[in-house]
Amino acid sequence: MTAELVRGQNHPLTQTRLEIRVSAGAPVVAGATLSDDEGRVHGRDWVAHPGAPALPGLEVPRQAAADHRLAVDLDAVPEAAHRVSVLLALPTGPGDPDRFGAVAAPFVAVTGLDGSEVASYTITDLDAESAVVALELYRRQGAWKVRAVGQGYAGGLGALLTDQGLPDARALAGEIGEAVARGLARTVAPPPPRTATTGASAMADTGAGASVAGAAMPSTTPPRSNQPPSPPNPRPAHEPQPARPSGQTGPVDYTHPGRQAPAPPAPAPTAPPGEPGQPAVPVAGDATGWSMDERLYNQVWGMFEDLARCVAAYRSAVDFADSRMEQELDKALSDPRSRIGGQGDAAREAARAKHGQLVDRAREVLDRDLAQLAAESAVVEPALPPAYAGWDNPVWHAYRSPMEIPMALRLGDLRLPESRSVGLRVPMLVRLPLERGMWIDSGRSGADALTESDELRRRAMRSAVEHAARLLAVYPAGEFAVHVIDPAGSAAGALAPLVRAGVLAGPPAAGVAGVSEVLARLTQRVDLVQMAVRGGAADALPPDLDTAEQLLIVNDFPHGFDDRAVTQLRYLADEGPAVGVHLLMVADREDAAEYGPVLDPLWRALLRLTPVPDDHLADPWVGHAWTYEPPNVPPGSRILEQVLEEVARARREQGA
């Protein structure tokens, strides 16, 4: 029976191999410290955090997330350590909440490896605190206990670590913040909560500073769920998140609980019932929304979350099976009597057989869920509008310039290793207007280390052109402008489709003078719009100011950039998205290594994409490493040229 603790209460622990599960109202950093019998942390090597996630007997997550699982093996904790403190802290990035009083109360549970909950604690009464000691596991007279602590610190992680006696606490807190920022920079942002607006195209983005182009979207927070190690169906039905467990029939309710709407949205298509004992036949748009595009957007994100959770459950079940077999083998070998005769061999065979049964059962459930998601993907993909569709989708052959901005844009596909068996990929959709710039990494990656450097650069530039063409295509005529900086003119071949169609705002800028002119013009635009917005005088902007969203493609950075140009580029990356100026950089980070840490904020401000498949992105739910696949135009296809010709025709008709 689970012990529901209150602050200060303790509970005995009968197991030494445990899991600590955290559910919070926003992405949080989870860590742990080891301390002596007086509560002092002896040094950095007694702190587990995202930058150094493993200690003897401890392992913590590598990034901030709304849900965490910490692994604890109390038998492996050093003898000198008498306490294991579980720490939670809010990230310090822009747009993140700065106090626990602004988010839902964190929930912490101590569970066994079989998923059974031993003790739980909801941390209440937090307000200005941005870091908190949630629980401590402590050794008393040779036995371990758990105590609910709930001690918060308004001074953040630095104040918390200082209170535990760590000598260089502030410096370590800063390093942890940098490690978390690196992790968040590679995380795919989840869809923001929907607010009280009159339609999908007018839906406001959450987060501080959301305006013309919005700001960083906060992670949605699934409530706690006590999942057993065997894989359940994706997203259990008791969660108030969009739930679509295997075997469910009928429409799915994706309505946000906080949404206040003047009228109910149009009903989603109803899935026809399947055969008895079989899941429902999937249909496109099987989600609540104010338009078909919104329903498809919600459905795609539901598929993304379902795939993340069912694979997480499978991996957890396999880990449990491995741990159980290890325990049974250790038990068999620790008994000297089992080493005589065939008892030891029989025990080993029984442990391996049980392990195989558990893994097979987990794989069976995973295969069932993957098959359901693959069937859903097969009906959703053909129904996607151009903004969500791949270049090989027939919808592009009937493309016409739209009248309004879509909800989101497809930047590629995401997949996990387990989903390759059924060819399942999930579209990677990001909200429009863009909330951060993009960086096409032209350097070598671990996934494609054999490709020649020059070929990677060519692919990266082609990928940038395809992203720019898609942005031009999904915006109404005249509402999106593209500028290009190509200092050495090395991207002329890749830029040819944009140049021939006449859809660029001007010729590609070359040389130092061209780089300076374009950056100065866009920097001035950001300054003018910011001053007008802050002064409440938007109608006072110069009449010749282009009010369209602006995209700047930068090739071959940092060649051709002096210190002033680098500063202007950083300024555009930080301030531009809020006023409709976005960066699309094609660069190899190694080429800019001479700038050292000066450019680190620039790289973190941009969403890193790659011209070849690479597993550098993470989901906001369980932190899987997802393989990103760029949305390439099929070889031999002229669809890109045809779409750009239609964009140019629509702009001529509009006089843009």
Side-chain angles (χ1 to χ4, degrees):
M1 185 174 180
T2 304
E4 297 183 3
L5 305 180
V6 297
R7 180 173 297 173
Q9 185 179 358
N10 60 42
H11 185 74
L13 296 173
T14 58
Q15 306 176 54
T16 57
R17 302 187 69 176
L18 303 165
E19 203 171 59
I20 298 175
R21 303 184 181 185
V22 178
S23 292
V28 296
V29 182
T33 59
L34 301 177
S35 55
D36 58 22
D37 54 355
E38 296 181 355
R40 283 199 309 268
V41 178
H42 287 189
R44 287 171 171 244
D45 55 350
W46 276 30
V47 183
H49 57 82
L55 292 180
L58 276 177
E59 186 169 357
V60 303
R62 295 175 180 270
Q63 66 182 43
D67 283 334
H68 288 294
R69 293 189 179 191
L70 290 70
V72 180
D73 184 353
L74 296 174
D75 288 337
V77 171
E79 285 294 327
H82 288 258
R83 298 184 193 176
V84 179
S85 299
V86 178
L87 321 177
L88 304 179
L90 293 170
T92 56
D96 291 322
D98 59 358
R99 60 190 186 92
F100 274 108
V103 300
F107 173 82
V108 187
V110 179
T111 72
L113 293 181
D114 59 355
S116 59
E117 197 170 282
V118 178
S120 65
Y121 174 42
T122 301
I123 310 172
T124 57
D125 299 328
L126 295 178
D127 186 13
E129 297 88 346
S130 57
V132 61
V133 179
L135 297 173
E136 67 177 15
L137 313 179
Y138 63 98
R139 196 186 334 235
R140 180 68 53 84
Q141 297 178 350
W144 286 91
K145 295 184 178 183
V146 57
R147 177 187 289 121
V149 180
Q151 176 63 54
Y153 295 83
L157 201 53
L160 186 156
L161 294 174
T162 299
D163 193 43
Q164 292 195 349
L166 188 66
D168 55 348
R170 298 289 179 182
L172 180 58
E175 294 175 15
I176 294 173
E178 292 176 1
V180 171
R182 289 194 298 269
L184 288 175
R186 59 187 288 272
T187 304
V188 182
R194 290 168 289 181
T195 56
T197 56
T198 56
S201 62
M203 289 170 62
D205 293 324
T206 61
S211 57
V212 177
M217 291 182 290
S219 295
T220 51
T221 308
R224 65 185 181 197
S225 59
N226 302 319
Q227 296 179 348
S230 58
N233 292 329
R235 275 201 308 259
H238 66 267
E239 297 186 359
Q241 290 287 98
R244 297 179 302 120
S246 301
Q248 175 176 330
T249 61
V252 180
D253 183 7
Y254 276 78
T255 305
H256 191 278
R259 184 174 192 164
Q260 300 295 324
T270 301
E275 296 295 327
Q278 298 298 317
V281 178
V283 296
D286 189 8
T288 297
W290 295 89
S291 66
M292 187 61 174
D293 285 3
E294 184 178 359
R295 292 198 292 267
L296 288 168
Y297 173 79
N298 287 334
Q299 188 171 13
V300 167
W301 270 95
M303 293 165 57
F304 183 25
E305 185 175 355
D306 280 353
L307 181 55
R309 292 191 183 280
C310 72
V311 169
Y314 168 72
R315 293 178 181 178
S316 177
V318 172
D319 289 344
F320 169 72
D322 292 343
S323 175
R324 181 169 178 172
M325 182 177 69
E326 181 182 339
Q327 288 180 337
E328 291 179 352
L329 290 176
D330 288 345
K331 182 178 179 180
L333 294 175
S334 64
D335 186 355
R337 292 171 299 179
S338 65
R339 301 173 193 167
I340 303 173
Q343 285 185 329
D345 293 339
R348 282 190 288 270
E349 287 300 320
R352 294 190 183 104
K354 191 176 296 182
H355 173 272
Q357 291 174 358
L358 291 172
V359 172
D360 290 345
R361 190 189 314 157
R363 186 71 211 193
E364 181 183 349
V365 176
L366 175 67
D367 289 343
R368 181 197 65 201
D369 292 333
L370 290 178
Q372 182 183 346
L373 287 169
E376 186 173 9
S377 176
V379 298
V380 167
E381 280 283 356
L384 295 177
Y388 305 173
W391 287 111
D392 56 350
N393 193 311
V395 71
W396 285 108
H397 294 283
Y399 166 76
R400 290 294 180 269
S401 182
M403 299 300 293
E404 61 180 19
I405 302 173
M407 284 186 61
L409 181 78
R410 185 172 186 158
L411 294 183
D413 294 328
L414 298 169
R415 62 174 171 81
L416 291 171
E418 289 84 352
S419 67
R420 296 187 65 175
S421 60
V422 294
L424 177 61
R425 293 170 175 80
V426 179
M428 178 180 169
L429 302 181
V430 297
R431 287 293 299 270
L432 290 178
L434 294 173
E435 298 187 333
R436 60 194 294 199
M438 293 178 286
W439 160 36
I440 312 294
D441 190 353
S442 59
R444 294 180 182 271
S445 67
D448 203 287
L450 300 179
T451 304
E452 291 294 331
S453 176
D454 291 343
E455 176 61 21
L456 277 174
R457 294 177 190 273
R458 285 192 292 270
R459 290 189 189 182
M461 196 61 207
R462 284 201 302 269
S463 181
V465 169
E466 291 167 3
H467 285 301
R470 182 181 289 265
L471 281 162
L472 284 165
V474 303
Y475 271 78
E479 294 190 18
F480 198 87
V482 177
H483 309 261
V484 177
I485 288 179
D486 186 21
S490 59
L495 291 169
L498 297 175
V499 174
R500 283 197 300 265
V503 294
L504 293 178
V512 176
V515 171
S516 299
E517 191 275 330
V518 172
L519 289 176
R521 179 155 35 90
L522 291 176
T523 300
Q524 183 185 41
R525 183 191 186 279
V526 171
D527 289 338
L528 288 173
V529 176
Q530 278 188 339
M531 287 189 292
V533 171
R534 290 169 183 170
D539 55 350
L541 288 169
D544 60 342
L545 183 77
D546 185 6
T547 57
E549 297 276 314
Q550 309 287 314
L551 178 72
L552 174 59
I553 302 177
V554 178
N555 182 45
D556 218 13
F557 177 80
H559 304 299
F561 284 75
D562 55 21
D563 289 345
R564 176 180 173 81
V566 170
T567 301
Q568 289 175 319
L569 200 66
R570 285 186 55 185
Y571 177 72
L572 292 178
D574 292 337
E575 305 294 334
V579 291
V581 177
H582 315 283
L583 285 184
L584 177 52
M585 290 184 59
V586 179
D588 180 356
R589 189 168 182 171
E590 292 299 319
D591 292 343
E594 63 186 55
Y595 287 95
V598 173
L599 289 182
D600 285 350
L602 173 64
W603 305 120
R604 288 199 296 265
L606 304 174
L607 174 62
R608 177 177 174 247
L609 304 174
T610 53
V612 294
D614 189 64
D615 56 352
H616 66 280
L617 292 174
D619 64 78
W621 298 290
V622 290
H624 290 317
W626 291 73
T627 297
Y628 166 79
E629 296 181 347
N632 297 325
V633 174
S637 172
R638 290 197 70 256
I639 193 62
L640 185 70
E641 289 78 4
Q642 293 173 12
V643 168
L644 290 175
E645 289 170 4
E646 170 59 21
V647 171
R649 182 199 63 78
R651 293 176 66 167
R652 287 193 299 269
E653 290 184 357
Q654 293 286 335

